[in-house]
Short mmCIF file of all heavy atoms in Angstrom, two decimals:
data_model
loop_
_atom_site.label_atom_id
_atom_site.label_comp_id
_atom_site.label_asym_id
_atom_site.label_seq_id
_atom_site.Cartn_x
_atom_site.Cartn_y
_atom_site.Cartn_z
N GLY A 156 -8.63 -4.08 3.58
CA GLY A 156 -8.53 -2.73 3.01
C GLY A 156 -9.48 -1.77 3.68
O GLY A 156 -10.09 -0.92 3.03
N VAL A 157 -9.62 -1.92 5.00
CA VAL A 157 -10.55 -1.06 5.74
C VAL A 157 -9.81 -0.33 6.87
O VAL A 157 -9.08 -0.95 7.63
CB VAL A 157 -11.71 -1.89 6.33
CG1 VAL A 157 -12.56 -1.04 7.27
CG2 VAL A 157 -12.57 -2.47 5.21
N ALA A 158 -10.04 0.96 6.94
CA ALA A 158 -9.51 1.76 8.05
C ALA A 158 -10.63 1.93 9.07
O ALA A 158 -11.66 2.51 8.75
CB ALA A 158 -9.04 3.11 7.54
N SER A 159 -10.42 1.40 10.27
CA SER A 159 -11.38 1.63 11.35
C SER A 159 -10.91 2.85 12.11
O SER A 159 -9.83 2.82 12.70
CB SER A 159 -11.46 0.42 12.28
OG SER A 159 -11.95 -0.70 11.55
N VAL A 160 -11.71 3.90 12.09
CA VAL A 160 -11.25 5.15 12.68
C VAL A 160 -12.20 5.64 13.78
O VAL A 160 -13.35 5.22 13.85
CB VAL A 160 -11.11 6.27 11.61
CG1 VAL A 160 -10.23 5.82 10.48
CG2 VAL A 160 -12.48 6.73 11.10
N HIS A 161 -11.65 6.50 14.63
CA HIS A 161 -12.47 7.28 15.53
C HIS A 161 -12.50 8.70 14.98
O HIS A 161 -11.43 9.25 14.70
CB HIS A 161 -11.88 7.32 16.94
CG HIS A 161 -12.02 6.04 17.68
ND1 HIS A 161 -12.13 5.98 19.04
CD2 HIS A 161 -12.08 4.76 17.25
CE1 HIS A 161 -12.25 4.71 19.42
NE2 HIS A 161 -12.20 3.96 18.36
N ARG A 162 -13.67 9.26 14.84
CA ARG A 162 -13.78 10.68 14.48
C ARG A 162 -14.10 11.43 15.76
O ARG A 162 -15.07 11.13 16.44
CB ARG A 162 -14.86 10.92 13.44
CG ARG A 162 -14.53 10.34 12.06
CD ARG A 162 -15.60 10.71 11.06
NE ARG A 162 -15.79 12.15 11.03
CZ ARG A 162 -16.96 12.77 11.24
NH1 ARG A 162 -18.06 12.07 11.47
NH2 ARG A 162 -17.04 14.07 11.21
N GLU A 163 -13.29 12.42 16.07
CA GLU A 163 -13.46 13.13 17.33
C GLU A 163 -14.53 14.21 17.18
O GLU A 163 -14.30 15.24 16.56
CB GLU A 163 -12.13 13.77 17.73
CG GLU A 163 -12.18 14.50 19.03
CD GLU A 163 -10.97 15.41 19.17
OE1 GLU A 163 -10.99 16.51 18.61
OE2 GLU A 163 -10.02 15.00 19.82
N LEU A 164 -15.69 13.97 17.73
CA LEU A 164 -16.77 14.95 17.68
C LEU A 164 -16.63 15.91 18.85
O LEU A 164 -15.69 15.83 19.63
CB LEU A 164 -18.13 14.25 17.72
CG LEU A 164 -18.35 13.17 16.65
CD1 LEU A 164 -19.73 12.53 16.83
CD2 LEU A 164 -18.20 13.73 15.25
N GLU A 165 -17.59 16.79 19.03
CA GLU A 165 -17.54 17.73 20.14
C GLU A 165 -17.97 17.03 21.43
O GLU A 165 -18.70 16.04 21.42
CB GLU A 165 -18.48 18.91 19.87
CG GLU A 165 -18.07 19.81 18.70
CD GLU A 165 -18.58 19.34 17.35
OE1 GLU A 165 -19.17 18.24 17.29
OE2 GLU A 165 -18.38 20.06 16.36
N GLY A 166 -17.53 17.62 22.55
CA GLY A 166 -18.04 17.21 23.85
C GLY A 166 -17.63 15.83 24.31
O GLY A 166 -18.37 15.14 25.01
N GLY A 167 -16.42 15.39 23.93
CA GLY A 167 -15.92 14.12 24.44
C GLY A 167 -16.63 12.90 23.86
O GLY A 167 -16.68 11.85 24.49
N VAL A 168 -17.17 13.03 22.68
CA VAL A 168 -17.82 11.89 22.01
C VAL A 168 -17.04 11.58 20.73
O VAL A 168 -16.64 12.49 20.01
CB VAL A 168 -19.28 12.21 21.64
CG1 VAL A 168 -19.92 11.03 20.92
CG2 VAL A 168 -20.07 12.56 22.89
N GLU A 169 -16.81 10.30 20.51
CA GLU A 169 -16.13 9.90 19.28
C GLU A 169 -17.04 9.01 18.47
O GLU A 169 -17.78 8.19 19.01
CB GLU A 169 -14.82 9.18 19.62
CG GLU A 169 -13.86 10.12 20.35
CD GLU A 169 -12.53 9.50 20.71
OE1 GLU A 169 -12.36 8.27 20.52
OE2 GLU A 169 -11.66 10.24 21.20
N GLU A 170 -16.99 9.21 17.15
CA GLU A 170 -17.77 8.38 16.24
C GLU A 170 -16.85 7.30 15.69
O GLU A 170 -15.75 7.58 15.25
CB GLU A 170 -18.31 9.23 15.09
CG GLU A 170 -19.14 8.48 14.08
CD GLU A 170 -19.21 9.23 12.75
OE1 GLU A 170 -20.05 10.14 12.64
OE2 GLU A 170 -18.43 8.90 11.84
N LEU A 171 -17.29 6.04 15.74
CA LEU A 171 -16.50 4.93 15.23
C LEU A 171 -16.98 4.60 13.83
O LEU A 171 -18.17 4.34 13.61
CB LEU A 171 -16.68 3.71 16.13
CG LEU A 171 -15.91 3.68 17.45
CD1 LEU A 171 -16.05 4.96 18.25
CD2 LEU A 171 -16.32 2.48 18.29
N THR A 172 -16.06 4.63 12.88
CA THR A 172 -16.45 4.44 11.48
C THR A 172 -15.46 3.53 10.76
O THR A 172 -14.26 3.64 10.97
CB THR A 172 -16.50 5.81 10.76
OG1 THR A 172 -17.36 6.69 11.47
CG2 THR A 172 -17.00 5.68 9.34
N ASP A 173 -16.00 2.66 9.91
CA ASP A 173 -15.15 1.82 9.06
C ASP A 173 -15.13 2.43 7.66
O ASP A 173 -16.19 2.65 7.07
CB ASP A 173 -15.71 0.39 8.98
CG ASP A 173 -15.50 -0.36 10.28
OD1 ASP A 173 -14.64 0.07 11.07
OD2 ASP A 173 -16.21 -1.36 10.51
N ILE A 174 -13.94 2.66 7.15
CA ILE A 174 -13.82 3.34 5.86
C ILE A 174 -12.98 2.48 4.92
O ILE A 174 -11.85 2.10 5.25
CB ILE A 174 -13.16 4.72 6.04
CG1 ILE A 174 -14.02 5.57 6.98
CG2 ILE A 174 -12.97 5.41 4.70
CD1 ILE A 174 -13.38 6.90 7.38
N GLU A 175 -13.54 2.17 3.75
CA GLU A 175 -12.82 1.37 2.76
C GLU A 175 -11.82 2.23 2.01
O GLU A 175 -12.11 3.37 1.69
CB GLU A 175 -13.79 0.77 1.74
CG GLU A 175 -14.64 -0.36 2.28
CD GLU A 175 -15.70 -0.80 1.28
OE1 GLU A 175 -15.60 -0.45 0.08
OE2 GLU A 175 -16.65 -1.48 1.71
N ILE A 176 -10.66 1.67 1.70
CA ILE A 176 -9.73 2.41 0.86
C ILE A 176 -10.10 2.17 -0.60
O ILE A 176 -10.75 1.17 -0.91
CB ILE A 176 -8.26 2.03 1.14
CG1 ILE A 176 -8.03 0.54 0.87
CG2 ILE A 176 -7.86 2.39 2.53
CD1 ILE A 176 -6.54 0.19 0.79
N PRO A 177 -9.75 3.07 -1.51
CA PRO A 177 -8.94 4.26 -1.30
C PRO A 177 -9.72 5.33 -0.52
O PRO A 177 -10.90 5.52 -0.75
CB PRO A 177 -8.62 4.73 -2.72
CG PRO A 177 -9.74 4.22 -3.55
CD PRO A 177 -10.15 2.92 -2.93
N ALA A 178 -9.00 6.00 0.37
CA ALA A 178 -9.67 6.96 1.23
C ALA A 178 -8.74 8.11 1.60
O ALA A 178 -7.52 7.97 1.55
CB ALA A 178 -10.16 6.26 2.49
N VAL A 179 -9.36 9.20 2.02
CA VAL A 179 -8.63 10.34 2.59
C VAL A 179 -9.06 10.47 4.04
O VAL A 179 -10.26 10.49 4.34
CB VAL A 179 -8.96 11.66 1.86
CG1 VAL A 179 -8.20 12.82 2.50
CG2 VAL A 179 -8.65 11.58 0.37
N LEU A 180 -8.10 10.53 4.95
CA LEU A 180 -8.42 10.76 6.36
C LEU A 180 -7.78 12.07 6.78
O LEU A 180 -6.60 12.31 6.49
CB LEU A 180 -7.86 9.62 7.22
CG LEU A 180 -8.29 8.21 6.81
CD1 LEU A 180 -7.60 7.17 7.71
CD2 LEU A 180 -9.81 8.05 6.89
N THR A 181 -8.54 12.94 7.46
CA THR A 181 -7.92 14.16 7.98
C THR A 181 -7.58 13.92 9.44
O THR A 181 -8.42 13.51 10.24
CB THR A 181 -8.79 15.43 7.79
OG1 THR A 181 -9.78 15.51 8.81
CG2 THR A 181 -9.46 15.44 6.41
N ILE A 182 -6.31 14.12 9.77
CA ILE A 182 -5.75 13.65 11.04
C ILE A 182 -5.75 14.76 12.09
O ILE A 182 -5.31 15.88 11.84
CB ILE A 182 -4.31 13.13 10.81
CG1 ILE A 182 -4.32 11.98 9.79
CG2 ILE A 182 -3.67 12.70 12.13
CD1 ILE A 182 -5.06 10.74 10.22
N GLN A 183 -6.24 14.40 13.26
CA GLN A 183 -6.32 15.33 14.39
C GLN A 183 -5.09 15.17 15.29
O GLN A 183 -4.53 14.07 15.39
CB GLN A 183 -7.61 15.04 15.17
CG GLN A 183 -7.81 15.81 16.47
CD GLN A 183 -7.95 17.31 16.27
OE1 GLN A 183 -7.18 17.93 15.55
NE2 GLN A 183 -8.92 17.90 16.94
N THR A 184 -4.70 16.24 15.94
CA THR A 184 -3.57 16.18 16.88
C THR A 184 -3.90 15.18 17.98
O THR A 184 -5.07 14.96 18.31
CB THR A 184 -3.30 17.54 17.53
OG1 THR A 184 -4.48 17.97 18.19
CG2 THR A 184 -2.91 18.59 16.49
N GLY A 185 -2.86 14.58 18.55
CA GLY A 185 -3.07 13.66 19.65
C GLY A 185 -3.26 12.21 19.22
O GLY A 185 -3.30 11.32 20.05
N ILE A 186 -3.40 11.97 17.90
CA ILE A 186 -3.62 10.59 17.43
C ILE A 186 -2.39 9.72 17.73
O ILE A 186 -2.50 8.50 17.87
CB ILE A 186 -3.94 10.58 15.91
CG1 ILE A 186 -4.35 9.19 15.43
CG2 ILE A 186 -2.78 11.12 15.09
CD1 ILE A 186 -4.87 9.14 14.01
N ASN A 187 -1.23 10.33 17.84
CA ASN A 187 0.01 9.60 18.12
C ASN A 187 0.98 10.57 18.78
O ASN A 187 0.61 11.70 19.08
CB ASN A 187 0.59 9.03 16.82
CG ASN A 187 0.74 10.11 15.74
OD1 ASN A 187 1.15 11.23 16.04
ND2 ASN A 187 0.39 9.80 14.51
N GLU A 188 2.20 10.11 19.01
CA GLU A 188 3.24 11.02 19.51
C GLU A 188 4.27 11.22 18.43
O GLU A 188 5.14 10.36 18.23
CB GLU A 188 3.90 10.44 20.76
CG GLU A 188 3.11 10.65 22.01
CD GLU A 188 3.85 10.16 23.24
OE1 GLU A 188 5.07 10.45 23.36
OE2 GLU A 188 3.22 9.46 24.06
N PRO A 189 4.20 12.33 17.71
CA PRO A 189 5.16 12.53 16.62
C PRO A 189 6.58 12.44 17.14
O PRO A 189 6.89 12.98 18.20
CB PRO A 189 4.86 13.94 16.13
CG PRO A 189 3.46 14.22 16.56
CD PRO A 189 3.29 13.48 17.85
N ARG A 190 7.42 11.72 16.40
CA ARG A 190 8.81 11.55 16.82
C ARG A 190 9.63 12.80 16.49
O ARG A 190 9.23 13.60 15.65
CB ARG A 190 9.41 10.34 16.12
CG ARG A 190 9.63 10.55 14.63
CD ARG A 190 9.88 9.24 13.92
NE ARG A 190 8.68 8.40 13.92
CZ ARG A 190 8.69 7.10 13.60
NH1 ARG A 190 9.81 6.50 13.28
NH2 ARG A 190 7.57 6.41 13.62
N TYR A 191 10.75 12.92 17.14
CA TYR A 191 11.73 13.90 16.71
C TYR A 191 12.59 13.21 15.66
O TYR A 191 12.82 12.00 15.74
CB TYR A 191 12.60 14.34 17.89
CG TYR A 191 11.82 15.17 18.88
CD1 TYR A 191 11.30 14.61 20.04
CD2 TYR A 191 11.59 16.52 18.62
CE1 TYR A 191 10.56 15.36 20.93
CE2 TYR A 191 10.85 17.28 19.51
CZ TYR A 191 10.34 16.70 20.66
OH TYR A 191 9.61 17.46 21.53
N ALA A 192 13.05 13.98 14.70
CA ALA A 192 13.93 13.41 13.69
C ALA A 192 15.25 13.03 14.36
O ALA A 192 15.80 13.78 15.14
CB ALA A 192 14.17 14.42 12.57
N SER A 193 15.73 11.83 14.06
CA SER A 193 17.02 11.40 14.61
C SER A 193 18.13 11.99 13.73
O SER A 193 17.89 12.40 12.60
CB SER A 193 17.12 9.88 14.59
OG SER A 193 17.11 9.42 13.24
N LEU A 194 19.34 11.99 14.27
CA LEU A 194 20.47 12.50 13.48
C LEU A 194 20.63 11.68 12.20
O LEU A 194 20.88 12.21 11.13
CB LEU A 194 21.76 12.43 14.30
CG LEU A 194 21.92 13.58 15.29
CD1 LEU A 194 23.17 13.38 16.13
CD2 LEU A 194 21.98 14.92 14.54
N ARG A 195 20.44 10.37 12.36
CA ARG A 195 20.56 9.49 11.20
C ARG A 195 19.47 9.83 10.18
O ARG A 195 19.73 9.92 8.97
CB ARG A 195 20.42 8.04 11.68
CG ARG A 195 20.68 7.03 10.63
CD ARG A 195 21.01 5.66 11.22
NE ARG A 195 20.73 4.64 10.23
CZ ARG A 195 19.58 4.01 10.14
NH1 ARG A 195 18.62 4.24 11.00
NH2 ARG A 195 19.39 3.10 9.20
N GLY A 196 18.26 10.07 10.69
CA GLY A 196 17.14 10.43 9.81
C GLY A 196 17.42 11.72 9.06
O GLY A 196 17.15 11.82 7.85
N ILE A 197 17.98 12.67 9.77
CA ILE A 197 18.28 13.96 9.14
C ILE A 197 19.33 13.78 8.05
O ILE A 197 19.22 14.35 6.97
CB ILE A 197 18.77 14.97 10.21
CG1 ILE A 197 17.60 15.33 11.14
CG2 ILE A 197 19.35 16.23 9.56
CD1 ILE A 197 17.99 16.08 12.39
N ARG A 198 20.31 12.93 8.33
CA ARG A 198 21.35 12.67 7.32
C ARG A 198 20.74 11.99 6.10
O ARG A 198 20.99 12.38 4.97
CB ARG A 198 22.46 11.81 7.94
CG ARG A 198 23.83 12.22 7.46
CD ARG A 198 24.97 11.61 8.25
NE ARG A 198 24.70 10.30 8.81
CZ ARG A 198 24.74 10.01 10.12
NH1 ARG A 198 25.03 10.96 10.99
NH2 ARG A 198 24.49 8.81 10.57
N GLN A 199 19.92 10.99 6.37
CA GLN A 199 19.32 10.25 5.25
C GLN A 199 18.42 11.16 4.40
O GLN A 199 18.34 11.00 3.19
CB GLN A 199 18.49 9.08 5.78
CG GLN A 199 19.36 7.92 6.22
CD GLN A 199 18.55 6.82 6.87
OE1 GLN A 199 17.41 7.06 7.28
NE2 GLN A 199 19.12 5.63 6.95
N ALA A 200 17.75 12.09 5.08
CA ALA A 200 16.81 12.96 4.36
C ALA A 200 17.52 13.78 3.29
O ALA A 200 16.92 14.15 2.28
CB ALA A 200 16.09 13.88 5.34
N GLN A 201 18.81 14.05 3.51
CA GLN A 201 19.55 14.86 2.55
C GLN A 201 19.58 14.21 1.17
O GLN A 201 19.65 14.90 0.16
CB GLN A 201 20.99 15.11 3.05
CG GLN A 201 21.08 15.96 4.30
CD GLN A 201 20.29 17.26 4.21
OE1 GLN A 201 20.31 17.93 3.19
NE2 GLN A 201 19.57 17.58 5.28
N SER A 202 19.54 12.89 1.15
CA SER A 202 19.65 12.23 -0.15
C SER A 202 18.30 11.74 -0.67
O SER A 202 18.22 11.09 -1.70
CB SER A 202 20.64 11.06 -0.07
OG SER A 202 20.23 10.20 0.97
N LYS A 203 17.22 12.07 0.04
CA LYS A 203 15.90 11.67 -0.45
C LYS A 203 15.40 12.67 -1.48
O LYS A 203 15.74 13.85 -1.42
CB LYS A 203 14.91 11.56 0.71
CG LYS A 203 15.18 10.34 1.59
CD LYS A 203 14.17 10.23 2.72
CE LYS A 203 14.45 8.99 3.58
NZ LYS A 203 13.63 8.98 4.79
N GLU A 204 14.59 12.18 -2.38
CA GLU A 204 14.16 12.99 -3.51
C GLU A 204 13.05 13.98 -3.14
O GLU A 204 12.07 13.60 -2.49
CB GLU A 204 13.66 12.06 -4.62
CG GLU A 204 13.18 12.79 -5.84
CD GLU A 204 12.34 11.90 -6.77
OE1 GLU A 204 12.18 10.70 -6.48
OE2 GLU A 204 11.85 12.45 -7.77
N ILE A 205 13.22 15.24 -3.53
CA ILE A 205 12.10 16.19 -3.51
C ILE A 205 11.88 16.61 -4.96
O ILE A 205 12.68 17.36 -5.53
CB ILE A 205 12.41 17.45 -2.65
CG1 ILE A 205 12.71 17.06 -1.20
CG2 ILE A 205 11.22 18.40 -2.69
CD1 ILE A 205 13.01 18.24 -0.28
N ALA A 206 10.82 16.10 -5.55
CA ALA A 206 10.57 16.40 -6.97
C ALA A 206 9.76 17.68 -7.09
O ALA A 206 8.64 17.75 -6.61
CB ALA A 206 9.82 15.23 -7.61
#
Side-chain angles (χ1 to χ4, degrees):
Chain A
V157 171
S159 296
V160 305
H161 287 210
R162 291 185 55 236
E163 182 196 81
L164 305 179
E165 293 87 354
V168 178
E169 297 181 353
E170 180 200 277
L171 282 49
T172 305
D173 288 341
I174 300 172
E175 287 173 16
I176 60 166
V179 179
L180 306 177
T181 81
I182 301 296
Q183 174 64 313
T184 58
I186 188 172
N187 53 41
E188 279 184 45
R190 70 195 67 194
Y191 291 99
S193 65
L194 279 176
R195 187 160 158 267
I197 291 168
R198 218 168 31 240
Q199 283 174 342
Q201 294 309 318
S202 55
K203 288 181 179 171
E204 179 196 358
I205 300 181

